[in-house]
Amino acid sequence: MKKERVVIIGSGPAGLTAALYTARAQLAPVVIAGAQLGGQVAITHEIENYPGFPDGLSGPELVERMKSHAENFGAKVEFDLVESVDFSRGSPFYIKTLGEEYLADSVIVTIGADPRKLGVPGETEYVGAGVSYCGTCDGFFFRGKDIVVVGGGDSALEEGIFLTRFATSVNIIHRRDELRAGVQLQQRAFNNDKISFTWNSVVEEIIGCENGGGVSAVRLKNRVTGEETIAPTEGVFIFIGHDPNNAVFGDQIALNENGYIITDQRYRTNVDGVFAAGEIQDEIWRQVATSVGQGTSAAMAAIQWLEAREETLQELDAAPAAG
């Protein structure tokens, strides 16, 4: 069993930033990267809205740079999966992965959240080549194109409205005959000349171009009539919700009604010594830049917590001698 000062669960922008800051504080953090270094960012084709990179860069390139930066200061990245944790006894916290066991004085959870998938043919194949789960990230690449948005909640309408800045037209496909989004948001969408709606319909398949260059259409099924149609499109944006990756924690950490970890302004959870940052606790913004800021804050809070804990332990050790 390995004893560590800081274990970071997750290797997205929040986790790697937290690793950088705790490494610079000479805490030699261990990052349990999971199955894919960088999480969702690693499958982003190109990032053009991260400060300092005016020419843009790919998601994998940004993640690799963040990893190297943290490692230069002493962070250790382990490609492993967390199987279970035990936060019930306080610090040090027990963490079991597929290949190792850890005792960590503090833990920073940055395990993220995954966009819900349609689970239809063509979806996985065209991620980054016409299929996207983030309008803010990828909208710029669809300038002058006709696209579809799948969903009917606040996120679908917010992203659909945003995408009209770039796309020629946005067709919102919803499985019901009325939207779940807020009234004001609905009115903005209805009043937007670029937005149209396809009601009572679900996507059955995402169809690629014959030359393999990207998406060419979606096959739709009307849930009322059963009729199937082919709708031409050059992009498919899917906004049917996110699922936070909270299963490994069970009931050991406080979650909100949507399953996201609850933190205070210092990114502290309800477990003393456990912090959280990035999309596992942020169900609103979900941007690389916001996750980096959250990872920074969580790391600094963890550093301060460890320093205060060490001072307390030193005082307790010295107390008998003073008596």
Side-chain angles (χ1 to χ4, degrees), residues 23-217:
R24 290 185 72 250
Q26 299 184 349
L27 294 174
V30 172
V31 179
I32 303 175
Q36 178 175 268
L37 181 71
Q40 291 296 310
V41 176
I43 61 172
T44 301
H45 176 66
E46 190 167 358
I47 298 170
E48 290 193 328
N49 58 356
Y50 189 66
F53 295 92
D55 297 325
L57 74 172
S58 70
E61 182 182 0
L62 177 60
V63 168
E64 187 57 41
R65 290 191 182 195
M66 288 180 166
K67 173 177 174 286
S68 297
H69 197 173
E71 288 177 329
N72 286 344
F73 285 96
K76 295 168 285 185
V77 177
E78 301 290 347
F79 290 89
D80 203 348
L81 291 169
V82 174
E83 284 191 324
S84 63
V85 302
D86 185 358
F87 295 162
S88 64
R89 302 177 185 180
S91 179
F93 305 101
Y94 174 76
I95 300 170
K96 185 180 187 304
T97 69
L98 291 177
E100 191 58 80
E101 294 178 282
Y102 298 90
L103 283 178
D105 290 335
S106 63
V107 175
I108 303 175
V109 180
T110 64
I111 200 170
D114 291 332
R116 291 181 191 149
K117 310 299 192 296
L118 294 173
V120 300
E123 180 177 13
T124 301
E125 294 89 330
Y126 293 102
V127 169
V131 172
S132 174
Y133 304 92
C134 179
T136 311
C137 308
D138 298 329
F140 185 77
F141 304 108
F142 292 83
R143 289 169 295 173
K145 296 184 177 182
D146 299 309
I147 63 174
V148 301
V149 166
V150 184
D154 285 350
S155 293
L157 265 63
E158 286 170 354
E159 298 278 9
I161 292 168
F162 174 80
L163 287 165
T164 61
R165 302 182 185 186
F166 310 102
T168 301
S169 68
V170 176
N171 180 15
I172 296 179
I173 300 167
H174 187 41
R175 62 185 295 111
R176 299 181 179 86
D177 60 359
E178 60 181 20
L179 300 168
R180 295 180 289 107
V183 175
Q184 291 185 342
L185 200 54
Q186 290 190 41
Q187 199 59 51
R188 286 177 59 199
F190 291 140
N191 290 340
N192 193 310
D193 292 337
K194 286 188 174 184
I195 294 179
S196 61
F197 294 86
T198 298
W199 304 105
N200 295 316
S201 297
V202 294
V203 175
E204 294 281 287
E205 181 184 5
I206 297 171
I207 302 169
C209 299
E210 291 185 1
N211 62 7
V215 169
S216 66

Side-chain angles (χ1 to χ4, degrees), residues 284-302:
I284 300 175
W285 305 118
R286 301 190 183 98
Q287 298 296 302
V288 173
T290 53
S291 290
V292 164
Q294 293 158 5
T296 301
S297 299
M300 294 178 71

Side-chain angles (χ1 to χ4, degrees), residues 269-280:
T269 72
N270 66 308
V271 180
D272 195 27
V274 176
F275 306 81
E279 291 188 27
I280 188 62

